[in-house]
Amino acid sequence: MYAAFLGLAHAPFSIAPDPRYLFMSERHREALAHLLYGLDAGGGFVLLTGEIGTGKTTVCRCFLEQIPAHCNVAYIFNPKLTVPELLRSICDEFGVVHRPAVPGAETVKDCLDPLNEFLLQQHAAGRNNVLIIDEAQNLAPDVLEQLRLLTNLETSERKLLQIILIGQPELRAMLARPELEQLAQRVIARYHLQALGPEETRQYIAHRLAVAGLQGPPPFQRRALARVHALAGGVPRRINLLCDRALLGAYAAGVREVSDAMVRKAAREVFDANAAAPRPAGGRARWWAAGAGGLLGAAAVAGLGWSMGWWPQPAAVAGRPAAQAPAPQASAAPVAAAAASGASAPQAAASAPAVPLTLARFLSAQPAADTAPAWQLLAQAWQASLPADVADPCAVLAPEGLRCWRSRRASLNLLRLLDRPALLTLQPSDAQQGARGAVLLRLDGAMATLQGVDGATLQVPVVELAPLWHGETATLWKAPANLPAGDDVAATAAGAAWLDRQLALAGAAPAGSRGVSPEVRRARVHQFQLGQGLTPDGQAGPLTLMLLNRAAGVQEPRLRGGA
C-alpha cells in the first residue's frame, strides 16, 4: 500500500524469507562459520541458539546453500516427535528404506539397523552425513538421549553422523541439566546469536529499503531509527513488523518521513503494549524511582544518538563551552593522547586536552575531502603516489594496478568486512571548517586510528568518530591492468579467466578449473557472496572482488594489521 507512495518497487519489511533481502551482520557470519566448521569436525553436536526472530533461519538457509556436494543432509523442522517417529523421519530424509520385522509393529531397531548400514556405505564412498534439527528446544529428553546414541555410530576413524541443533535459548538450559551431561560433553561448537546493535539496525533498515528500490532520502528520521532499535530490541523480525506499521502510518498521514511519535504509535499497535513503561502506583519512593529511571533512559538515548551521529552534540553545558562538558569517554581520552606523545598518564590527565579538541585540531590540519591532497593520503597508505594537482586520481592509479571504490552510505561494519584502509569524509563539529579527509588506518575493536598529513596519526574511540562520519568513504583494491572497467569483470575472456582463478584461490571453485560457462561462474560467485555476508546477486562487483582478493591471499594493506 505504502510502497508506491514512497517510490518503492516492493514492500521492504515483509516477514516472509525473501532471499533478495538477505542481510548478514557480523554476528550472523560468525554463526555461519560455526556451522560450516561442524561439517568437517568429525562428528558430535553443533549448537546454534538465539532469541525468536534474531535470524537463526537466515543463517540456516545460508548454511544449506553452502553445504558441499559430498554431504548428505537430513532436515527435521518439526521436532515434537517420539523416538520411533524421529528415527523414521531421519530415515525418510536420508532416503533409507525401513520395514518392520513384524508387520504393523515397527521398532526402533527396524530403523536403526538400515540407518547404520546406510551411514557406513556413505562413509566408504567418501560422503559425510549431516542431520539438522530446527526448533530443537522442543525435543523431549528421551529424544535427545536417542540423538546422543546416534553419535555412537562410528568407525575407528570418525563418527558417521554430524548433528546440528538449532533452537531458542531454552535449548542451552536443557543441555545444562545433569541428566544430559553426556550429550553436552559431545557439543564441539556452540554459538548464541544475539540481536543487532544500534548501528547494525540502521544498516539493516537501509539495506532492506535499498533492495526495495529506494532512490531518495531514507523515510525514517534519525530519532525514529533510534526508537525502532530501542523498541524492537535489535531483533530483525520485530524491526520488520515495527517499520512496516510505521511506514503504513506515514502513508495514512500523507507524509514521507516517519517520526519518533509514529514509531511509538506503531509499537503500541504491533506489539500490543505501551511503548513507554506505565507509571507505577504507590508512594513517593516509587514515583521518584520512576522519574530517575526516565532520566537515566533519556540520558542513555541521548548518548546513543550523539555517539551514532543521529543528532548533533550540544554546544554547551550549564553555560560552559562544549569542550568542558563532561563526556562518558573523556576519562580514557587523555591517556590515549599521552601515549601518542610519550607523556605519562598522570601528566596527560592534568594537562592534555579532551579528545574532541584533539580530534578537532587534527581535522583542522587535514585537506578538504575529495581533493587531490586527500587522495594522496589514501594512495600513501597503499604505497602508491599521486601528483599534487591530479584531477582524476582513479585514472592515475589504474596503471599501478589499483582500482577505486566509493560510497556515500558505507558503515563501520562494512569497513570492518572489507578490512582495508579507507579515505573518510569527516564533518568537523565546527561546520565552518568544511568536510575534511583523513585515512582510516586501523580499526581495532572500539578504537580507530586516523592518518593525516605528514604521517601524523591519532587514535580515537569509535564513538567519538561516529558523529563526524556520515558514511562517505573511498578505498582501493588491487586488480590486473587488463581487467574490464565496468561492473562485469567477466565481459572479456581475460577478465573471466582472472575471476575463475580468484574463485579457485578463494576456495569457491575447484582448483585449476577454467573455461566454465557463465551460469556456473555466476553460481560460484553467488555462493561466495553468501559466505561473505554480501547480498548474493551472482555479479562480481567491487565489493565481491575486494573480498575475493582477501580470501585469495592477495597482499593488500589491512585495517586490522595496519597499513
Side-chain angles (χ1 to χ4, degrees), residues 16 51 100 165 173 188 193 211 245 267 292 319 342 395 423 459:
E51 296 288 350
L165 301 179
I188 60 173
L193 187 60
V211 173
R245 185 59 62 92
L423 177 62
Q459 189 179 41

Side-chain angles (χ1 to χ4, degrees), residues 168-461:
Q168 296 171 23
E170 305 92 271
L171 179 60
R172 292 195 299 174
M174 289 171 58
L175 297 186
R177 296 174 184 172
E179 62 268 25
L180 293 175
E181 182 179 355
Q182 292 188 59
L183 190 153
Q185 290 179 0
R186 301 192 183 193
V187 176
I188 60 173
R190 63 180 72 208
Y191 189 86
H192 184 67
L193 187 60
Q194 297 180 341
L196 302 177
E199 176 61 20
E200 289 173 322
T201 297
R202 294 178 64 195
Q203 295 170 22
Y204 176 80
I205 293 172
H207 167 75
R208 294 190 73 98
L209 287 168
V211 173
L214 181 67
Q215 298 295 329
F220 287 88
Q221 295 178 359
R222 291 180 178 179
R223 295 187 65 174
L225 287 173
R227 186 67 60 190
V228 167
H229 175 75
L231 296 177
V235 176
R237 190 178 301 161
R238 289 172 62 88
I239 294 172
N240 285 357
L241 292 169
L242 185 53
C243 287
D244 184 71
R245 185 59 62 92
L247 288 174
L248 184 61
Y251 168 76
V255 297
R256 298 181 180 274
E257 192 173 50
V258 174
S259 66
D260 179 48
M262 290 178 180
V263 174
R264 285 178 176 271
K265 181 179 179 182
R268 288 192 293 269
E269 296 173 352
V270 173
F271 302 144
D272 194 24
N274 290 328
R279 177 177 175 177
R284 180 178 300 177
R286 286 173 133 187
W287 178 89
W288 180 88
L295 289 174
L296 290 174
V301 173
L304 176 64
W306 295 329
S307 67
M308 301 311 298
W310 291 331
W311 57 80
Q313 296 197 27
V317 174
R320 293 175 295 170
Q324 296 176 351
Q329 295 81 17
S331 60
V335 178
S341 62
S344 65
Q347 291 173 332
S351 59
V355 164
L357 281 180
T358 304
L359 183 55
R361 281 207 314 273
F362 175 83
L363 290 179
S364 67
Q366 304 314 314
D370 207 21
T371 61
W375 278 88
Q376 283 180 311
L377 291 176
L378 180 61
Q380 290 169 12
W382 285 74
Q383 291 81 48
S385 59
L386 284 173
D389 57 348
V390 62
D392 186 353
C394 295
V396 175
L397 291 170
E400 297 191 39
L402 294 174
R403 294 291 180 91
C404 296
W405 176 77
R406 307 188 197 207
S407 174
R408 293 185 177 273
R409 300 181 63 181
S411 65
L412 285 173
N413 268 358
L414 179 59
L415 295 183
R416 292 184 195 274
L417 178 63
L418 297 179
D419 192 18
R420 60 195 60 233
L423 177 62
L424 304 184
T425 297
L426 301 173
Q427 302 286 344
S429 54
D430 182 2
Q432 295 182 352
Q433 293 187 28
R436 301 285 175 163
V439 170
L440 179 65
L441 200 62
R442 293 179 65 95
L443 193 55
D444 300 311
M447 300 300 294
T449 302
L450 300 177
Q451 183 178 45
V453 293
D454 300 328
T457 60
L458 176 69
Q459 189 179 41
V460 296

Side-chain angles (χ1 to χ4, degrees), residues 488-521:
D488 186 8
V489 299
T492 65
W498 176 81
L499 179 57
D500 290 340
R501 286 194 299 271
Q502 293 298 97
L503 288 168
L505 290 172
S513 61
R514 60 184 62 183
V516 300
S517 67
E519 291 75 17
V520 171
R521 187 177 296 112

